[in-house]
Amino acid sequence: MSHIPPPPCINSHFEQKAALGTLYLTATHVIFVENMSETRKETWILHSQISSIEKQATTATGCPLLIRCKNFQIIQLIIPQERDCHDVYISLIRLARPVKYEELYCFSFNPKLDKEEREKGWKLVGLSEEYNRMGVPNNYWQISDVNRDYQVCDSYPTEVYVPKSATAHIIVGSSKFRSRRRFPALSYYCKDNNASICRSSQPLSGFSARCLEDEQMLQAIRKANPGSNFIYVVDTRPKLNAMANRAAGKGYENEDNYSNIKFQFIGIENIHVMRSSLQKMLEVCELKSPSMNDFLWGLENSGWLKHIKAIMDAGIFIAKAVAEEGISVLVHCSDGWDRTAQVCSVASLLLDPFYRTMKGFMVLIEKDWVSFGHKFNHRYGNLDGDPKEISPVIDQFIECVWQLMEQFPCAFEFNERFLIHIQHHIYSCQFGNFLCNTQKERRELKIQERTYSLWAHLWKNRADYMNPLYREDHSQTQGTLRPQTAPCNFLYKFWSGMYTRFEKGMHPRQSVTDYLMAVKEETQQLEEELEVLEQRLADLKKVQSNNRKENSKQQDQNTHLGLSASNNSIANTPQDYINNVKSFPSRSPSQGDEEDSALILTQDNLKSSDPDLSANSDQESGVEDLSCRSPSGGGCLPSEDSGKDSDEAVFLTV
Amino acid sequence: MEFAELIKTAKVENVQLSCPGLPPIKGTLCITSHHLLLSSQPGGNGEPGTVELWLLIRNVDAVEKRVASSLGTITLKCKDLKVLQLEIPGMEECLNIASSTEALSSVDSVMMMYPFFYRPQSMKLKDGWQLYPLQHYYQQIASETGAWRLSCVNGDFTICSSYPPAVIVPAAVDDNVLKKAARFRQGGRFPVLSYYHKKNGTVMLRSSQPLIGPNRKRCQEDELLLSAVLDGGERGFVIDTRSAQAAKQARMMGGGTEPKSSYPRWKRLHRPLERGRPLQESFIKLVEACNDTSLSVDRWLSKLESSKWLAHVKGALSTACLAAQCMEREEACVLVHGAEGTDTTLLVTALAQVILDPDCRTLAGFQGLLEREWIEAGHPFHFRYAHSAYSHARLKQEAPIFLLFLDCVWQLGRQFPFSLQFSERLLLMLFEHTYASCYGTFLCNSEKERCLCEVKEKTHSLWSWLNQPSEWKKHLNPLYTYNALVIWPSVEPQSLQLWQGLFLRWIRSSQYLDEAWAEVQRLVTSHEDAPEESAGHTRCHSQPDAAYPLTITGTANEG
């Protein structure tokens, strides 16, 4: 552990009150411990979460360091000594940019599970079970071993599902005609109507090249859906981009060469446009007390919601083709690992209610992102690399899910917190799931033997991630989700819970989700209890009728006593539970805190399941912190004589 | 009866009604003095004889007609923002219906309006009109302090035509002082008590602007009145809802704002809030943007921005927070006024009370608040809500100040989902009733006019309808728990949202959101119905609000 002598410093979160404390750097975290003796609040930041470190101009109080995190937290440290500041800066630069996988947190993270539990954790989500669930292999689809040892395509998984009529020869031939050899493979199969979603990279068609095997491959996909006489080929790029690729010997399918395809462009911008769009949106979020117009203008100017809508529209198009027309779809972009992953997973989510459950969502990410070689390491900058490779690809997918949750509040088994925690761990490198760029790399690193699985961790704490409005028998949890397509501009909203999640004061102060979850649990518990009691009553009645003797009354009373005694354990449960509910912050607004605002801790603060998240949020949830966003905290009306004639008051922030 | 003259064609067969999101319906259209009715006919897709449309003509904001050969199409754009289309066979019929609807919807005489004709069997006239008398409110204050008295100086409306007969004023000030102070305030609206903050005894006053004028006039009585509010060395804040510059400019027109020299213990704070025409235009622009379904996401955001509606929401909430902050944190008294003291002033004082006072967040308390701070306080409902966002009529006095208030309350409810006893439904209902109603509650501009028109004798009160147990229940928030604390909202742009339930109500389907709401209700209800624990555990859930049974019995007693 590199341990830098703790310089005293001030940590301030933008408008929030500054706090004096001590900074520690460890091999994995930046830790800030506040001096306030009662609380000693701690802020923990994983090095892998650090997105940028900025040294700002020295002020009278010291040298400021601005740390921006990939989970959208921003921290400013003011370090009294210039030299200390420089040291911290240099150390952090190095620590935040590991060069070897072995330096990442997951290799040192130990949740104190034994080997067996670790293995069980990794088995929680299994892809072959998933393909079985979809109904493959079957008469039309088979598992192909053509990619064993990653011979054909090193960014694909070893087990790939392809049409039965596609021979190894066709697959290999087709792969040679596809960028990075990413040949068409099955992503989703709809057993109700045999329609499927396949994915690939762009064809190397240039201006005129053809490939017989590739044409046969597409033909085979069509034939695997006997009811249909064509397939859609969806190129998720803007047409201009695809055409530009032709000059480089790549491009898109020529409808004349492929029989029975319908070709369709859906203009989703590339990773560079997305990166800068997010950047612009985050700049808007960083504005200090922006006006409504600054905010809306900035949001529009970032184009972020437009991009989200483009991804969603592509998913909706594909889901519609599969569910309503019964037509199979082949999706690609350039390399088929970014936009293709987004679009396939959005479409799957719309089509299949299973993916809207907690387990199903894990499976979906494993299937469309992890196994098909989405380049997690490059996109999320886990190891030091080319900054131009970084792009919020999966963040956009996660936001699409949130936007759907807003439109269909009863359709998802999980809640917003689940999405936020997944986003956090995609960057945290605390678990091995999202390490590396491909399955091949992960196997070589023996990830499963050396790290733990996030899914097991989330599953263990699933109570925290439940959507109380979800019911298996609710109409929204059945069948295909059909989002409104027109008019839908206003259906896309800024996701404050994600991008300003550390500005607690901005969020609703009372959590409906947590309250309803508590209510639901309590109801369940009481009902179960009633059942037990009724059962006992029934038993008693039986006993009573059997013992109709002279002293039956006496006996009866005895049994009654027996009942209440034996039932103690049950009777205790609701008591504890009620206590629980009573102390449930969102429902006990009073507790006479001096703050006086109906300040309710939401979300993470209640949940200590995740050390990192809770450490962060504890730090954030303090009542005083929150106050700065509300007038209560400002507390500084101008003194009577401030400013001579200008009566204009300072109503802080807000 | 002059209505008959306005109705040129009373009945047309084979009219097709369509509104977005529903299949068109064919039926017989009838036009009466106050309603457009469409009952489906045999052979149509509805049950024959069922009334498919029962539209209060007062609700029609704009009538647009298009005639092609023998088929005419009338588009009715309603004040509650809904848009209906009628296809009427026969050109003459179409033109007649259009012009009759137009004429009937623009009848301006209060006494000709529907509330004067509406006589539901289940309700009695005069019920509900005396539910929230100022005397009650005064008694609550009097039980805490003797510093205030109820003055009937305006008993015959001669001192201030827009004030109610009774007002609460400092006990130390006699009626003669009030009379003189009234002459120094626009429209006679001298400073009166709006809210007493029990926790620390501070008060919020409201008034209109002082008539300082270009010659910097002073009025001893007005100064006396204001200083009587402050104890010893206390200081107060004047929150002027105009910019410092606008307040200064108002002097040219005879108005102005309290100068420091004459009111040394009052510190002025300026918070410009939009009102009047610009606010109405903001509303119109927003509704236009919502209806323009061809927009891309980006254009939508820029249209939303350029309507400035959310900026007005932010402004109103921040100013109300400022007033609340002055009282709660600075423990100082506050006087709020703009120019006339009938619009933005009431917006700020009413909102601040919702933020500060848990009693105003109950359904009964909210009614009382509206009664005290909007209706009796002389908000000119008749002028402000004559037309809504679609009207082509030349705007006179229209401005959706009350809608802005409802929107702000909705934002509070969104940020504090457990703290309001009433649901969004109540706010939507109030919005509709301010523009067109069968009840008299929002008629006229002041108590004086209401007296002249005998509104309280000849119309039913919205409250007595709302307070019927079945209606009451429908407007409750199932998540409500009494929350004694001040609810400080965040007014950051990231925290404020477009009120979709209102502005997009007729544009997008809310099926899935309604289902979610039903699910919330189901969860909470099944929780309440869950087996009661024998061991005598107290339920954690909301304690029943005392005001509810009281209100109900109140209504019953009068009946």
Side-chain angles (χ1 to χ4, degrees), chain B residues 151-371:
Chain B
S151 165
C152 293
V153 67
N154 197 39
D156 51 3
F157 304 110
T158 48
I159 305 300
C160 171
S161 62
S162 61
Y163 269 175
V167 288
I168 301 172
V169 295
V173 173
D174 66 34
D175 282 357
N176 284 325
V177 171
L178 297 179
K179 282 179 190 166
K180 288 188 180 148
R183 269 181 251 144
F184 187 63
R185 293 276 168 175
Q186 183 171 356
R189 295 175 69 92
F190 56 90
V192 296
L193 180 135
S194 149
Y195 170 64
Y196 178 82
H197 196 40
K198 277 185 216 124
K199 196 190 277 171
N200 57 18
T202 57
V203 296
M204 182 157 55
L205 306 167
R206 55 177 157 74
S207 70
S208 60
Q209 63 179 342
L211 300 175
I212 309 285
N215 300 324
R216 298 176 184 265
K217 264 192 292 181
R218 292 180 62 163
C219 171
Q220 238 182 355
E221 288 78 9
D222 191 70
E223 291 165 23
L224 185 71
L225 172 55
L226 282 184
S227 64
V229 174
L230 305 176
D231 267 350
E234 272 180 7
R235 312 226 149 176
F237 291 95
V238 175
I239 296 178
D240 192 322
T241 61
R242 302 163 296 177
S243 68
Q245 207 196 353
K248 211 176 236 174
Q249 277 170 355
R251 289 221 315 264
M252 294 298 127
M253 308 293 292
T257 191
E258 292 79 359
K260 209 166 196 168
S261 52
S262 338
Y263 301 86
R265 288 157 71 197
W266 291 88
K267 170 155 186 61
R268 256 187 304 123
L269 306 170
H270 289 276
R271 282 292 170 281
L273 294 182
E274 207 56 90
R275 67 201 81 209
R277 188 111 187 211
L279 191 65
Q280 179 73 10
E281 269 158 18
S282 164
F283 177 40
I284 293 172
K285 272 193 184 169
L286 175 62
V287 171
E288 249 171 38
C290 292
N291 279 300
D292 186 349
T293 52
S294 65
L295 295 176
S296 66
V297 186
D298 279 3
R299 294 277 319 287
W300 155 251
L301 284 173
S302 75
K303 286 257 178 147
L304 181 63
E305 186 232 288
S306 70
S307 81
K308 297 208 163 54
W309 182 262
L310 285 173
H312 300 325
V313 170
K314 180 169 153 69
L317 272 174
S318 335
T319 310
C321 285
L322 173 68
Q325 191 181 10
C326 290
M327 299 178 74
E328 169 77 12
R329 316 227 108 212
E330 302 295 310
E331 309 208 322
C333 294
V334 177
L335 166 67
V336 183
H337 71 70
E340 290 96 342
T342 53
D343 292 288
T344 50
T345 304
L346 305 180
L347 175 64
V348 172
T349 58
L351 258 183
Q353 294 179 52
V354 179
I355 291 167
L356 287 170
D357 186 359
D359 294 338
C360 292
R361 298 177 219 137
T362 65
L363 182 41
F366 193 66
Q367 290 175 28
L369 178 75
L370 298 184
E371 193 65 42

Side-chain angles (χ1 to χ4, degrees), chain A residues 300 489 587 632 637 651 654, chain B residues 295 302 325 329-330 481 491:
Chain A
E300 180 203 291
N489 324 305
R587 292 303 278 180
S632 50
L637 283 168
F651 177 44
V654 199
Chain B
L295 295 176
S302 75
Q325 191 181 10
R329 316 227 108 212
E330 302 295 310
T481 314
V491 296

Side-chain angles (χ1 to χ4, degrees), chain A residues 560-589:
Chain A
H560 252 294
L561 286 173
L563 168 77
S564 50
S566 68
N567 205 27
N568 262 351
S569 58
I570 301 173
N572 278 338
T573 338
Q575 181 121 42
D576 291 348
Y577 189 73
I578 300 254
N579 283 340
N580 263 339
V581 171
K582 277 216 167 131
S583 65
F584 204 67
S586 48
R587 292 303 278 180
S588 58

Side-chain angles (χ1 to χ4, degrees), chain B residues 530-543:
Chain B
E532 202 52 65
E533 192 39 51
S534 54
H537 299 303
T538 44
R539 185 50 53 80
C540 69
H541 195 62
S542 57
Q543 49 272 61

Side-chain angles (χ1 to χ4, degrees), chain B residues 49 51 100 103 169 213 220 248 360 373 473 477-479 515 536:
Chain B
V51 178
S100 307
V169 295
Q220 238 182 355
K248 211 176 236 174
C360 292
E373 288 298 285
K473 242 191 202 153
N477 169 13
L479 298 172
E515 282 173 4

